[in-house]
Amino acid sequence: MLTKYSWWGGQNPPPPYLKTAKQLSQQNLIPRKAVGVIYGRGGHQIHLYSIRDGESVFTPAEFDAMKLRDRTRVKEWAIAILKRDDWVILDTETTGLKDPEICQIAIINHRGEPLLDTLVRPTKPIETEATRIHGISDHQVQFAPSFSQVYPDILKDRKSTRLNSSHLVISYAVFCLKKK
């Protein structure tokens, strides 16, 4: 539970060692765990972080070390999964980044054999930037099955021995796209 404070100059202002995320960035610190909150108009929350303890903020070096530990754990997990023969990869392409819908879905097994590979007709147009990335256009999906038509095939494959008891690895665009 976060301690509630009022705006500075109010009846219960935060002590000087509590800082907002913006104030932390000005001190080259990174928020970790909020310890206080100020409620603004319309329920808007401003979280507060203590610069007195090591649990509320990261230094840049601590943050980089944490990211490295996380990457190492993920890498070790992936290596362990790839040594097994009971995993599948599910990959999708979407209409874009704003309220995306699936426009292609594929599932392959550990041998690279496709279990499912189909275009999907979304209910909204595919964004131009998305087409530039994955090459799928509105014209290509106009006669494709809808997701509700494809979903039973996913369930059927899941119940079959090909997907049953498998580890599912999902490819997610946020991790795949490189920001320029």
Side-chain angles (χ1 to χ4, degrees), residues 4-59:
K4 295 178 188 176
Y5 294 96
S6 62
W7 290 101
W8 287 269
Q11 292 181 354
N12 184 27
Y17 61 85
L18 293 184
K19 305 293 182 189
T20 66
K22 183 176 181 179
Q23 290 169 323
L24 289 178
S25 70
Q26 292 168 346
Q27 295 180 19
N28 203 27
L29 296 172
I30 301 161
R32 179 187 285 191
K33 180 182 175 188
V35 295
V37 64
I38 296 173
Y39 288 96
R41 293 183 185 108
H44 179 73
Q45 297 180 12
I46 298 174
H47 289 104
L48 300 170
Y49 306 87
S50 173
I51 59 172
R52 286 198 320 192
D53 64 42
E55 295 180 21
S56 192
V57 297
F58 289 110
T59 65

Side-chain angles (χ1 to χ4, degrees), residues 4-162:
K4 295 178 188 176
Y5 294 96
S6 62
W7 290 101
W8 287 269
Q11 292 181 354
N12 184 27
Y17 61 85
L18 293 184
K19 305 293 182 189
T20 66
K22 183 176 181 179
Q23 290 169 323
L24 289 178
S25 70
Q26 292 168 346
Q27 295 180 19
N28 203 27
L29 296 172
I30 301 161
R32 179 187 285 191
K33 180 182 175 188
V35 295
V37 64
I38 296 173
Y39 288 96
R41 293 183 185 108
H44 179 73
Q45 297 180 12
I46 298 174
H47 289 104
L48 300 170
Y49 306 87
S50 173
I51 59 172
R52 286 198 320 192
D53 64 42
E55 295 180 21
S56 192
V57 297
F58 289 110
T59 65
E62 290 170 330
F63 188 69
D64 289 344
M66 181 202 61
K67 288 192 305 188
L68 180 61
R69 284 191 306 272
D70 288 349
R71 280 192 213 114
T72 301
R73 277 185 280 208
V74 169
K75 181 180 172 184
E76 290 168 355
W77 170 84
I79 289 169
I81 289 292
L82 292 174
K83 289 179 181 177
R84 302 170 62 132
D85 64 359
D86 64 342
W87 56 268
V88 296
I89 295 175
L90 181 146
D91 185 38
T92 61
E93 300 298 344
T94 66
T95 55
L97 295 176
K98 296 177 183 155
D99 196 25
E101 292 184 24
I102 293 172
C103 61
Q104 182 183 28
I105 187 168
I107 302 173
I108 64 167
N109 66 15
H110 67 282
R111 290 184 295 276
E113 301 165 339
L115 305 179
L116 176 69
D117 186 6
T118 184
L119 292 172
V120 178
R121 185 180 69 249
T123 62
K124 62 192 280 183
I126 299 172
E127 296 172 16
T128 304
E129 184 63 26
T131 296
R132 243 183 265 141
I133 291 169
H134 55 52
I136 302 168
S137 68
D138 289 327
H139 176 73
Q140 291 173 290
V141 297
Q142 68 181 345
F143 299 113
S146 67
F147 185 78
S148 62
Q149 292 170 311
V150 173
Y151 188 65
D153 292 335
I154 297 169
L155 291 179
K156 179 180 67 178
D157 279 342
R158 188 181 185 294
K159 291 177 183 174
S160 77
T161 56
R162 297 184 300 182

